[in-house]
């Protein structure tokens, strides 16, 4: 199972994976760990990442970037209308009122939603991770800005679902003018503006490490004019002074919300690419009165944190226990209608910076279905035009049989993605119990009261709020209950009884017994909830997006295979043509040489003319046609290079075994333990292989280099293996062990028997292979003749 963290930014993305050795940021196919958030559409396929950014200027109208900010927003949003003016591509309204991106793809006009565009980028990141891990990627953790609202977060989750990613968690990523000089308006031509953006981005990065004047030059900027300029860090900071002043605002807000003083902060760690700007670090350091720490990689820290969180959530990895608690960025409230007319109840269920994920239970007294509406309590503090989160209708609510209102428990939750939802609703229903059920019901209720929580984390991250019609809610925190208004009358309980009531009961002992009250069984009935969210893709639309993305992935795959086939033909033409005028020249006759060169040139011209856009099979057939001629030439060259070396190896093995046979014939004591019949097998095998090699070498000597070889290197290797299999078991037979005689002691000391000394001398023979005289075979015309008789 894979564990992947994805930091999806507006301009670039980073991928981190969890391995046995820790967290690692991986590189794409260009060996770059940074993948641009750019998608370009062509007549045959899509290009994503580095390749898309490289053609952003030449295909400006069909190249999409900086689209992350459009998630969960309506087309008529003022922010969208303002951003629309600065884009090279067209934004148009979707049928559901969302933001659509219009491009030309496959020579047809297509309209894609922001979720689809992000899904395309996630497809690229998914493929990069899979190529690196060598296995499928499904589970992941994706970063989002901490200020993203519910609608924006749901939009990102939809994008992940389109591409088949199971997002375990959405993680908050915070856990120049030539107009006057050249009379040119860069904004009038989008390509010129994009080139200016790119050069300014390079200049900004250079200024982070240089304070001197830096040049900016753009050739043929507009109207065939070259433009140039220069800027230093001081000028840049002067231009950005108004923006740099805004840095202190969130810092003051941070201290206010955490109720800390500057003196309470012991260390400050900064992450994010913008923190490399010296002025930004200086502002932060000045505010806190201490230097900022940059021990983490500013660009990759978020992706690595996401990968770690994914490893924690994945059952495939065993990670040291970490407690990761996120925060609710904006306060969330609920509003509901009372049974009485023109009356509403409002309650803030999650305050700003409330711990997340977290659940609370609200209790309502209702006699029929009712509606709850969630919204952001402070609309001015939310960077989103719509304060409403969604409307939830609790259905199938009815009064009790005795006419009393039913107690309805509603569970509200901010989940792991930071999204608010009403997860469950249940109605407490009282049912008369049969006599035989009384004991079991009481026992069940007692067990439920005494049973410990099976999920302590869930219990820790939950509270219970009680709300009744006509009153403000009562909030129970840590076992205590604090009320924002006088509590409503509750059902009497044992602990609410007074001593006077006990005395009254004692006085009634002499009175006749009252009628026995019927036993009541309490049942929790799950209630359906209808959710109407501000922004959520419908199931049908989401399924259509998933199907569309699948088709585009397949089209990209087919186009890649087609381009690979075309490139293979082109590479073969260049490679073989160069070698025909070099190492291959001697291995083809003159007439065939000229004909093959002509065919290669014709193929090259065809590739750039009518063969520019052909089907994959056409290129495959063309390559096979060329290889039918080129492969035999390549084989002859390789065999001529390899054959002498293998013949030399075979000759050395023959010499080795022939010498051993000769030593055996000369009664060498090293081989006196080998049976003569066994050694005859060695001699026979050596003679046969030697005769075969001499015949082959003589036949090969008669062949020219442009003719196919008589024997292949593979056949010679087979002969060497056959020779070794026959001879090696014979000549390496172990010599039988000889027991040494016992030592005899003499008055002058231990003495070694003379026979023992002789035996030791005989056993001390060298185990090294026999000496070779270094003779080799300088060419294949040589022959080997050995007399083994």
């Amino acid at each position: 199972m894979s564990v992947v963290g994805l930091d999806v930014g507006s301009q670039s993305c980073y991928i981190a994976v969890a391995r046995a050795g820790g967290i690692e940021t991986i590189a794409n196919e260009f060996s770059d760990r940074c993948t641009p958030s750019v998608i370009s559409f062509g007549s045959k396929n899509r290009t994503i990442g580095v390749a898309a950014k490289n053609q952003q200027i030449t295909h400006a109208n069909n190249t999409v970037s900086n689209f992350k900010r459009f998630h969960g927003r309506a087309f008529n949003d003022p922010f969208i209308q303002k951003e629309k003016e600065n884009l090279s591509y067209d934004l148009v309204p979707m049928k559901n009122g969302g933001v659509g991106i219009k491009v030309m793809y496959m020579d047809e006009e297509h309209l894609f939603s922001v979720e689809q565009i992000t899904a395309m980028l996630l497809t690229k990141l998914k493929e990069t991770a899979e190529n690196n891990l060598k296995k499928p990627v499904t589970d992941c953790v994706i970063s989002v800005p901490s200020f993203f609202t519910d609608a924006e977060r749901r939009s990102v989750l939809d994008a992940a679902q389109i591409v088949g990613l199971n997002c375990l968690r959405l993680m908050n990523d915070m856990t120049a003018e030539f107009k006057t000089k050249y009379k040119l308006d860069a904004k009038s031509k989008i390509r010129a503006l994009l080139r200016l953006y790119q050069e300014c981005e390079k200049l900004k990065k250079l200024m982070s490490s240089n304070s001197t004047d830096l040049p900016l030059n753009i050739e043929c900027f507009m109207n065939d004019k070259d433009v140039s300029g220069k800027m230093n860090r001081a000028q840049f900071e002067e231009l950005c002074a108004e923006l740099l002043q805004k840095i202190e605002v969130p810092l003051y807000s941070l201290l206010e919300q955490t109720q800390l003083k500057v003196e309470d902060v012991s260390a400050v760690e900064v992450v994010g690419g913008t923190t490399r700007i010296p002025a930004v670090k200086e502002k932060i350091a000045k505010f806190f009165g201490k230097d900022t720490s940059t021990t983490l990689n500013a660009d990759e820290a978020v992706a690595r944190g996401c990968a770690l969180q994914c490893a924690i959530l994945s059952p495939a990895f065993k990670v040291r226990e970490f407690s990761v608690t996120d925060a609710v960025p904006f306060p969330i409230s609920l509003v509901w209608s009372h049974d009485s007319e023109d009356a509403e109840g409002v309650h803030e269920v999650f305050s700003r910076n409330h711990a997340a994920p977290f659940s609370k239970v609200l209790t309502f007294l209702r006699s029929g279905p009712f509606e709850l509406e969630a919204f952001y309590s402070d609309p001015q503090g939310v960077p989103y035009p719509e304060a409403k989160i969604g409307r939830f209708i609790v259905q199938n609510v009815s009064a009790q049989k005795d006419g009393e209102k039913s107690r309805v428990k509603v569970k509200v939750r901010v989940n792991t993605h930071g999204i608010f939802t009403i997860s469950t609703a249940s109605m407490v229903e009282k049912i008369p119990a049969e006599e035989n059920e009384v004991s079991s019901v009481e026992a069940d209720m007692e067990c439920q009261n005494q049973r410990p929580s099976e999920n302590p984390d869930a219990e820790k991250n939950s509270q219970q709020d009680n709300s009744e019609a006509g009153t403000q809610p009562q909030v129970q925190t840590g076992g205590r209950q604090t009320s924002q208004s006088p509590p409503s009358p509750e059902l009497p309980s044992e602990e609410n009884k007074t001593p006077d009531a006990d005395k009254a009961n004692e006085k009634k002992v002499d009175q006749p017994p009252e009628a026995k009250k019927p036993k009541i069984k309490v049942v929790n009935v799950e209630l359906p909830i209808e959710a109407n969210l501000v922004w959520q893709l419908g199931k049908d639309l989401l399924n259509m997006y998933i199907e569309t993305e699948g088709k585009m992935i397949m089209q990209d795959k087919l186009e890649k295979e087609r381009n690979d086939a075309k490139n293979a033909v082109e590479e073969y033409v260049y490679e073989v043509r160069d070698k025909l005028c070099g190492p291959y020249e001697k291995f083809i006759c003159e007439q065939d040489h000229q004909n093959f060169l002509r065919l290669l040139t014709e193929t090259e011209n065809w590739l750039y003319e009518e063969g520019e856009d052909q089907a994959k099979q056409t290129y495959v057939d063309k390559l096979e046609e060329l290889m039918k001629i080129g492969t035999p030439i390549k084989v002859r060259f390789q065999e001529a290079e390899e054959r002498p070396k293998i013949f030399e190896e075979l000759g050395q093995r023959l010499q080795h075994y022939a010498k051993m046979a000769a030593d055996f014939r000369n009664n060498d004591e090293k081989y006196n333990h080998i049976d003569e019949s066994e050694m005859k097998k060695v001699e026979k095998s050596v003679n046969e292989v030697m005769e075969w090699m001499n015949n082959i070498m003589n036949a090969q000597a008669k062949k020219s280099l442009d003719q196919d070889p008589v024997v292949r290197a593979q056949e010679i290797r087979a002969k060497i293996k056959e020779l070794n299999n026959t001879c090696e078991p014979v000549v390496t037979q172990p010599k039988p062990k000889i027991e040494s005689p016992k030592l005899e002691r003499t008055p002058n000391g231990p003495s070694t028997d003379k026979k023992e000394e002789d035996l030791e001398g005989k056993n001390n023979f060298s185990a090294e292979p026999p000496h070779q005289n270094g003779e080799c075979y300088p060419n294949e015309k040589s022959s080997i003749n050995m007399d083994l008789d």
Side-chain angles (χ1 to χ4, degrees):
M1 185 180 293
S2 59
V3 174
V4 179
L6 304 177
D7 178 17
V8 183
S10 296
Q11 296 183 345
S12 58
C13 305
Y14 289 87
I15 310 169
V17 299
R19 301 185 192 270
I23 306 297
E24 175 187 350
T25 307
I26 62 176
N28 54 29
E29 70 272 27
F30 294 91
S31 300
D32 192 350
R33 291 185 290 189
C34 174
T35 299
S37 303
V38 183
I39 297 101
S40 184
F41 297 88
S43 59
K44 293 291 183 182
N45 65 327
R46 309 170 297 177
T47 52
I48 306 172
V50 177
K53 188 173 184 179
N54 291 339
Q55 58 187 19
Q56 187 171 16
I57 296 174
T58 56
H59 296 83
N61 294 337
N62 285 323
T63 302
V64 183
S65 60
N66 293 320
F67 49 85
K68 179 180 177 180
R69 301 166 294 175
F70 305 152
H71 272 287
R73 291 183 179 267
F75 179 76
N76 58 6
D77 188 324
F79 173 79
I80 299 296
Q81 295 303 313
K82 182 180 179 181
E83 290 293 315
K84 182 181 177 183
E85 302 173 0
N86 302 323
L87 300 175
S88 61
Y89 50 91
D90 293 334
L91 295 184
V92 294
M94 300 286 289
K95 290 182 179 179
N96 62 355
V99 180
I101 297 171
K102 185 171 69 174
V103 293
M104 291 296 294
Y105 171 58
M106 302 286 289
D107 297 327
E108 295 180 358
E109 188 177 279
H110 282 72
L111 185 62
F112 296 111
S113 67
V114 179
E115 291 83 2
Q116 287 180 285
I117 296 294
T118 300
M120 298 176 193
L121 180 60
L122 292 175
T123 296
K124 179 65 177 179
L125 302 181
K126 182 173 182 281
E127 290 177 355
T128 302
E130 289 177 339
N131 292 336
N132 187 278
L133 294 170
K134 307 300 182 186
K135 56 184 177 182
V137 169
T138 303
D139 293 343
C140 67
V141 170
I142 303 176
S143 71
V144 293
S146 58
F147 55 80
F148 258 24
T149 61
D150 274 42
E152 293 164 303
R153 292 171 187 264
R154 281 194 293 267
S155 180
V156 174
L157 286 178
D158 288 338
Q161 191 172 349
I162 289 173
V163 79
L165 285 174
N166 176 31
C167 182
L168 300 178
R169 181 171 187 173
L170 289 181
M171 198 169 189
N172 291 338
D173 55 12
M174 298 307 297
T175 321
E177 306 291 336
F178 294 107
K179 189 172 184 180
T180 303
K181 184 176 179 180
Y182 295 98
K183 308 298 181 185
L184 297 174
D185 185 6
K187 292 185 177 180
S188 62
K189 290 188 177 180
I190 192 62
R191 291 186 180 180
L193 185 60
L194 290 174
R195 292 184 66 191
L196 183 60
Y197 282 161
Q198 289 183 354
E199 293 301 320
C200 289
E201 182 70 18
K202 295 176 184 176
L203 190 64
K204 183 186 74 171
K205 292 180 179 179
L206 289 173
M207 283 190 291
S208 294
S209 56
N210 296 276
S211 58
T212 58
D213 288 345
L214 296 173
L216 185 148
N217 301 303
I218 307 177
E219 296 181 354
C220 297
F221 180 60
M222 286 179 65
N223 303 334
D224 295 329
K225 288 185 178 181
D226 300 339
V227 297
S228 62
K230 63 180 181 179
M231 181 175 284
N232 57 42
R233 188 189 297 171
Q235 293 172 330
F236 174 71
E237 292 176 359
E238 184 179 350
L239 289 173
C240 302
E242 185 177 347
L243 293 174
L244 293 174
Q245 291 297 330
K246 296 181 179 181
I247 294 176
E248 295 183 354
V249 177
L251 298 180
Y252 279 114
S253 176
L254 174 65
L255 292 181
E256 180 183 352
Q257 294 175 32
T258 56
Q259 297 181 353
L260 294 174
K261 297 179 180 179
V262 173
E263 298 79 21
D264 299 331
V265 179
S266 57
V268 180
E269 180 81 26
V270 292
V271 295
T274 306
T275 58
R276 288 197 173 97
I277 300 176
V280 174
K281 289 193 286 189
E282 290 172 5
K283 285 283 186 182
I284 298 174
K286 183 179 178 181
F287 180 86
F288 287 102
K290 52 180 62 66
D291 292 336
T292 57
S293 174
T294 55
T295 56
L296 298 174
N297 186 303
D299 291 320
E300 301 173 7
V302 174
R304 294 169 67 89
C306 289
L308 176 60
Q309 179 65 28
C310 192
I312 293 172
L313 297 174
S314 172
F317 274 73
K318 187 176 181 180
V319 185
R320 183 187 303 172
E321 289 296 328
F322 286 95
S323 176
V324 181
T325 302
D326 225 322
V328 178
F330 313 111
I332 299 174
S333 295
L334 275 180
V335 61
W336 61 90
S337 298
H338 289 295
D339 289 345
S340 58
E341 296 181 359
D342 301 326
E344 280 190 343
V346 180
H347 177 50
E348 186 178 278
V349 286
F350 294 105
S351 59
R352 185 188 299 274
N353 295 328
H354 194 291
F358 206 93
S359 298
K360 292 186 178 182
V361 177
L362 307 178
T363 302
F364 297 88
L365 292 179
R366 288 291 184 271
S367 56
F370 61 101
E371 182 179 303
L372 298 170
E373 185 174 300
F375 63 96
Y376 292 111
S377 309
D378 181 19
Q380 288 75 23
V382 180
Y384 191 77
E386 179 61 67
K388 187 168 66 174
I389 297 174
R391 187 165 53 89
F392 305 87
I393 302 175
V394 182
Q395 301 175 335
N396 296 356
V397 180
S398 60
Q400 298 293 311
K401 293 184 178 180
D402 57 3
E404 291 185 1
K405 294 179 180 179
S406 297
R407 187 179 294 270
V408 180
K409 294 183 178 181
V410 176
K411 185 176 182 180
V412 296
R413 177 171 175 79
V414 173
N415 62 20
T416 54
H417 306 304
I419 296 175
F420 176 85
T421 182
I422 294 183
S423 55
T424 61
S426 61
M427 180 174 64
V428 179
E429 188 173 349
K430 300 176 182 178
I431 302 175
E434 300 293 336
E435 288 296 331
N436 55 357
E437 293 180 347
V438 172
S439 58
S440 61
V441 170
E442 292 178 350
D444 289 344
M445 293 181 66
E446 183 178 355
C447 290
Q448 290 176 4
N449 293 332
Q450 296 179 357
R451 184 184 301 130
S453 172
E454 296 179 359
N455 189 351
D457 292 335
E459 184 174 315
K460 178 179 68 176
N461 289 345
S462 65
Q463 291 181 354
Q464 181 166 337
D465 292 6
N466 296 310
S467 303
E468 295 192 8
T471 66
Q472 291 294 331
Q474 296 173 319
V475 183
Q476 178 183 338
T477 306
R480 296 181 181 177
Q481 198 171 39
T482 58
S483 176
Q484 299 173 346
S485 66
S488 299
E490 296 286 345
L491 295 175
S493 61
E494 291 295 328
E495 61 186 20
N496 290 334
K497 290 183 180 180
T498 62
D500 293 339
D502 294 337
K503 292 179 179 178
N505 290 336
E506 292 177 1
K507 294 179 180 179
K508 295 180 181 180
V509 173
D510 297 335
Q511 298 178 359
E514 296 180 357
K516 189 176 181 181
K517 293 183 179 179
K519 295 292 184 178
I520 301 297
K521 181 171 67 173
V522 178
V523 178
N524 284 328
V525 180
E526 293 296 324
L527 302 175
I529 302 172
E530 179 185 337
N532 298 297
L533 302 172
V534 170
W535 188 267
Q536 178 109 33
L537 292 179
K539 290 186 178 179
D540 293 340
L541 186 59
L542 183 61
N543 290 334
M544 186 186 74
Y545 287 168
I546 294 173
E547 182 180 354
T548 302
E549 178 64 19
K551 290 179 180 178
M552 289 190 288
I553 291 175
M554 183 57 64
Q555 176 61 32
D556 293 343
K557 181 180 179 181
L558 294 175
E559 181 62 14
K560 182 180 183 300
E561 292 175 353
R562 191 189 73 87
N563 284 328
D564 290 345
K566 178 184 176 182
N567 293 336
V569 176
E570 188 177 38
E571 290 172 5
Y572 190 82
V573 168
Y574 292 148
E575 178 189 1
V576 174
R577 186 165 56 190
D578 289 344
K579 290 184 177 179
L580 282 176
C581 300
Y584 288 0
E585 188 173 9
K586 298 178 182 179
F587 297 90
I588 183 173
C589 65
E590 183 61 27
Q591 185 63 38
D592 292 342
H593 185 272
Q594 296 300 326
N595 293 338
F596 196 23
L597 281 177
R598 190 182 306 110
L599 178 60
L600 291 172
T601 303
E602 291 174 356
T603 302
E604 180 186 18
N605 296 333
W606 174 81
L607 281 172
Y608 297 110
E609 294 172 359
E610 61 184 77
E612 175 71 24
D613 188 13
Q614 296 291 329
K616 171 188 171 182
Q617 192 59 41
T618 304
Y619 297 121
V620 172
D621 295 340
K622 183 69 69 173
L623 182 60
E624 289 179 354
E625 178 185 350
L626 297 175
M627 292 182 71
K628 284 181 181 179
I629 304 173
T631 301
I633 303 171
K634 180 180 179 181
V635 169
R636 291 196 287 268
F637 168 75
Q638 292 176 339
E639 289 292 328
E641 289 285 311
E642 201 171 355
R643 192 167 51 247
K645 300 175 184 178
I646 303 178
F647 268 138
E648 181 180 355
E649 181 183 349
L650 177 59
Q652 290 174 353
R653 299 310 297 170
L654 287 171
Q655 284 185 349
H656 176 63
Y657 294 128
K659 186 177 184 307
M660 287 184 173
D663 290 345
F664 176 82
R665 291 296 180 188
N666 293 332
N667 296 323
D668 192 321
E669 292 182 355
K670 291 184 293 184
Y671 306 110
N672 58 10
H673 63 284
I674 299 177
D675 189 75
E676 184 176 1
S677 61
E678 295 292 327
M679 188 58 73
K680 284 184 178 180
K681 294 180 182 178
V682 173
E683 293 174 348
K684 180 182 178 182
S685 179
V686 169
N687 287 330
E688 289 176 352
V689 174
M690 188 181 301
E691 181 181 1
W692 175 85
M693 186 177 75
N694 287 334
N695 293 336
I696 289 297
M697 293 179 69
N698 291 332
Q700 183 63 43
K702 298 176 183 178
K703 292 277 187 178
S704 61
L705 292 176
D706 59 3
Q707 292 179 309
D708 291 337
V710 176
V711 65
R712 297 286 180 91
Q714 185 177 0
E715 298 176 53
I716 305 174
R717 290 195 184 94
K719 279 293 180 182
I720 295 175
K721 184 177 181 180
E722 179 184 342
L723 180 66
N724 288 335
N725 290 341
T726 303
C727 301
E728 201 65 22
V730 176
V731 299
T732 58
Q733 288 183 26
K735 199 167 185 177
K737 294 182 180 180
I738 302 176
E739 294 184 0
S740 301
K742 296 181 180 179
L743 294 177
E744 297 180 359
R745 290 188 175 272
T746 63
N748 295 329
S751 174
T752 305
D753 189 74
K754 184 67 173 68
K755 292 183 180 179
E756 182 180 355
E757 293 179 358
D758 293 342
L759 288 172
E760 288 179 353
K762 290 180 181 179
N763 288 335
N764 288 337
F765 61 86
S766 173
E768 297 180 357
H771 175 69
Q772 297 182 5
N773 56 14
E775 294 181 1
C776 59
Y777 303 91
N779 54 58
E780 296 177 349
K781 296 181 181 180
S782 302
S783 299
I784 295 178
N785 294 308
M786 297 181 184
D787 188 6
L788 301 180
D789 296 332

